[in-house]
Amino acid sequence: MTATRPRPIVPLRRRIAAVVLLGTASVVAVAVVYVQADVSTVGRLSFDNPVNIPDLAEGEPSPDGSIRTFELDVQTGFTRLIHDTESETWGVNGAHLGPTIRVRRGEKVEMRVTNNLPETTTMHWHGMHLPAYADGGPHQPIGEGRTWSPSWIIDQPAATLWYHPHPHGATERHVYRGVAGMLIIDDDIDVELPEAYGIDDIPLIIQDIRVDNGRLSESDPIADPIGRLGDTILVNGTHDPHLNITSDRTRLRLLNASGARTYDFMFDDNRSFQLIGTDGGLLNQPVDLQNIQLSPGERAEIVVELKAGETSVLRSVEPDLGVNRWDARFTGAHDSFDIIELRAATTLSRNDPIPNRLAPEPIEQPDVDNAAIRQFELSGIEINGQRMDMSRIDFRIELDTTEVWQLTNPTGTPHNFHVHDTRFTVLDIDGDPPPPTWQGWKDTIYVPPGTTVRIAVRFTDYTDPTLPYMFHCHILRHEDQGMMGQFVVLEP
Ligand code: C2O
Ligand code: CU
Ligand code: CU
């Protein structure tokens, strides 16, 4: 009987005791079950604080203009997360989070990442198509005081990516403490979209934290099967935030940079918005939606319209995680949050309507009739019954060959799936066509309990017989515990 499964004792504030009577004609059993109280901040925020907009990292072009170098200094510092108490946090070129790196397709970049943390870290460019040596996974550790300087040519369409550490076994902690930033790729294709950074093109890095006496807390009051679920939301590091809107149409780049929490974003007045892009770039055409769910690591670009003087609150309502009622309490499936209030000025500048054609190269499902099928069973904290082993290459892939990856979650626990170096399309979920939010390019995808998601994956350009890329669950504690594997891409 699952109801008697032992759970660690937790502070009463977080839970209410429920008494469950289990009766039959001859036996009456009494079990005390601790139930996690649902977390909600809906209607309780003041939205007093102007949301922080991360600085744009401009980089330094070389004298001949052939390469642009970005200095990224990973460091410790102190930040007022909430109230007046300073908390130790980690960041890039600052005490908490990092600058937004904005690069252009076709340019060569060098990232000079210096590690001033008191321990080894790495820096991974999530969503980037790049050679394995530059990927920044667990095979590219940066020791204390060391600098790692990979360079590569940006070669993919405009998209919203992000960067974060990927040290073996410690990613959740490094990201939670604040080492994360947005990475925007532009291209030369002319699609009329809001693109004035911080004005009508706004990065929103969303993380949930726990705060204890004003400080970032790393204690885990319950043994969450998916890792630490915070009860306070930060947007670009700001709590209780608002965003001053100055245009009639505003583009929001949503990034779920949380370790474990899935959000289902919508507006408090149910207004619809246009989804224009997902992880790997623009959609074929905008899609009108009222909500969009993002699991850890996923991104969405949306355009929202406001009239002069209006306000609207971006909110996260209970996500549909596909978990049963028992497991739901430990996965955030019953939690809801007010995220940020949008406040439109009394006069707004005008942006053109969003064009009906977006992706310059239309996204098409590849022909997979004869494609090789690869199975990934996500179970416990293992993939195909194995945990990450840095010295084991799980498989070898041929360059320029489309494969079908069949992602199965036979358990009751949420998992998602991320693959490095490439972007993929979703073929189907339990045989049904993907929902509108999964019809664009993806690099991270939720795999609901009891479900099989099939994706079409292809690797191009870069081969390396020894240095692998990673695939893993992007619930960061699962990743840290070993729910990850590695593959190399080889010449045919
Ligand atoms: Cu965002 Cu392998 O990670
Ligand atoms: Cu990644
Ligand atoms: Cu997982």
Side-chain angles (χ1 to χ4, degrees):
M1 186 77 216
T2 51
T4 57
R5 201 158 23 139
R7 294 275 176 186
I9 302 301
V10 301
L12 267 182
R13 191 169 67 79
R14 301 276 308 148
R15 301 197 175 180
I16 50 174
V19 177
V20 176
L21 300 175
L22 307 164
T24 67
S26 56
V27 178
V28 176
V30 178
V32 177
V33 182
Y34 288 94
V35 181
Q36 180 173 18
D38 304 339
V39 180
S40 174
T41 62
V42 167
R44 302 203 347 242
L45 299 195
S46 61
F47 309 112
D48 279 344
N49 307 309
V51 69
N52 175 57
I53 301 294
D55 290 342
L56 265 189
E58 298 293 350
E60 188 63 36
S62 61
D64 65 357
S66 62
I67 185 165
R68 192 150 57 119
T69 299
F70 293 83
E71 299 281 350
L72 300 172
D73 179 8
V74 190
Q75 56 193 255
T76 66
F78 286 88
T79 308
R80 279 187 203 166
L81 292 173
I82 67 167
H83 310 311
D84 288 334
T85 316
E86 300 233 296
S87 181
E88 190 185 336
T89 53
W90 289 2
V92 180
N93 298 352
H96 190 232
L97 300 180
T100 296
I101 301 171
R102 193 156 194 175
V103 295
R104 186 160 276 276
R105 185 173 198 174
E107 77 169 318
K108 186 167 186 188
V109 298
E110 179 192 38
M111 302 293 182
R112 287 180 50 83
V113 186
T114 299
N115 177 14
N116 285 312
L117 300 178
E119 58 186 88
T120 296
T121 191
T122 83
M123 197 58 81
H124 168 60
W125 325 100
H126 179 130
M128 188 72 76
H129 176 46
L130 79 188
Y133 66 76
D135 190 42
H139 291 274
Q140 287 87 41
I142 316 169
E144 286 169 62
R146 306 302 281 258
T147 298
W148 175 64
S149 311
S151 65
W152 69 93
I153 295 170
I154 305 294
D155 188 15
Q156 67 195 91
T160 302
L161 277 47
W162 65 301
Y163 61 95
H164 64 81
H166 217 298
H168 189 48
T171 296
E172 182 189 42
R173 186 163 46 87
H174 287 222
V175 173
Y176 181 76
R177 290 184 180 180
V179 192
M182 218 168 245
L183 206 174
I184 296 174
I185 296 180
D186 295 318
D187 59 22
D188 290 327
I189 314 286
D190 230 6
V191 188
E192 278 300 316
L193 293 171
E195 56 182 7
Y197 181 78
I199 297 171
D200 60 18
D201 181 353
I202 312 286
L204 296 178
I205 302 171
I206 292 144
Q207 293 186 303
D208 60 331
I209 58 166
R210 264 176 209 286
V211 175
D212 201 3
N213 292 320
R215 293 199 173 84
L216 196 57
S217 165
E218 288 178 16
S219 67
D220 288 314
I222 51 172
D224 292 309
I226 61 170
R228 184 180 299 116
L229 289 167
D231 53 13
T232 301
I233 304 293
L234 301 180
V235 181
N236 302 341
T238 310
H239 74 95
D240 280 24
H242 68 264
L243 173 69
N244 290 318
I245 298 282
T246 55
S247 305
D248 55 354
R249 292 185 178 83
T250 303
R251 176 188 198 167
L252 304 175
R253 299 180 190 250
L254 301 171
L255 159 63
N256 181 355
S258 307
R261 187 175 289 288
T262 293
Y263 302 89
D264 190 2
F265 295 107
M266 61 172 293
F267 290 93
D268 65 336
D269 48 16
N270 275 314
R271 75 180 55 218
S272 57
F273 55 83
Q274 288 176 294
L275 176 70
I276 60 168
T278 52
D279 305 342
L282 296 174
L283 304 178
N284 285 340
Q285 64 268 322
V287 181
D288 286 320
L289 293 175
Q290 281 175 306
N291 67 303
I292 183 164
Q293 185 161 311
L294 297 181
S295 69
E298 289 184 285
R299 290 88 67 206
E301 295 185 29
I302 67 171
V303 173
V304 59
E305 283 185 57
L306 270 83
K307 295 195 182 65
E310 264 188 329
T311 61
S312 186
V313 174
L314 179 67
R315 176 172 282 175
S316 171
V317 295
E318 301 184 6
D320 179 6
L321 298 177
V323 287
N324 67 34
R325 276 173 52 217
W326 176 264
D327 290 318
R329 288 165 297 178
F330 306 100
T331 58
H334 294 326
D335 298 348
S336 45
F337 298 93
D338 279 346
I339 305 286
I340 186 169
E341 184 174 66
L342 308 188
R343 297 179 178 171
T346 47
T347 56
L348 298 176
S349 62
R350 302 206 36 171
N351 276 332
D352 287 338
I354 302 307
N356 278 326
R357 290 219 22 78
L358 293 172
E361 304 151 27
I363 306 163
E364 279 165 16
Q365 289 297 8
D367 177 4
V368 293
D369 286 353
N370 299 310
I373 296 176
R374 222 178 267 283
Q375 283 279 0
F376 298 82
E377 188 180 271
L378 312 175
S379 177
I381 45 170
E382 297 175 334
I383 300 178
N384 293 335
Q386 288 186 302
R387 293 211 210 169
M388 169 74 167
D389 177 347
M390 295 262 297
S391 61
R392 183 190 71 231
I393 302 295
D394 292 280
F395 49 87
R396 289 163 180 79
I397 289 190
E398 221 175 81
L399 194 71
D400 290 325
T401 307
T402 301
E403 296 192 350
V404 173
W405 288 13
Q406 189 156 314
L407 318 171
T408 299
N409 177 354
T411 70
T413 307
H415 294 294
N416 72 5
F417 187 88
H418 168 54
V419 56
H420 288 203
D421 181 46
T422 196
R423 31 183 212 154
F424 53 77
T425 54
V426 182
L427 295 167
D428 46 45
I429 168 165
D430 280 347
D432 294 330
T437 53
W438 285 9
Q439 283 176 8
W441 290 111
K442 298 288 293 166
D443 59 47
T444 308
I445 193 91
Y446 188 61
V447 185
T451 300
T452 294
V453 177
R454 293 196 320 144
I455 62 178
V457 183
R458 185 184 183 90
F459 295 86
T460 58
D461 303 307
Y462 307 116
T463 58
D464 193 317
T466 51
L467 271 181
Y469 297 106
M470 307 294 125
F471 58 93
H472 57 91
C473 178
H474 216 288
I475 291 174
L476 296 182
R477 188 161 302 173
H478 289 177
E479 174 187 336
D480 285 342
Q481 289 172 333
M483 200 163 193
M484 174 154 63
Q486 28 187 24
F487 59 94
V488 291
V489 180
L490 302 174
E491 300 284 351

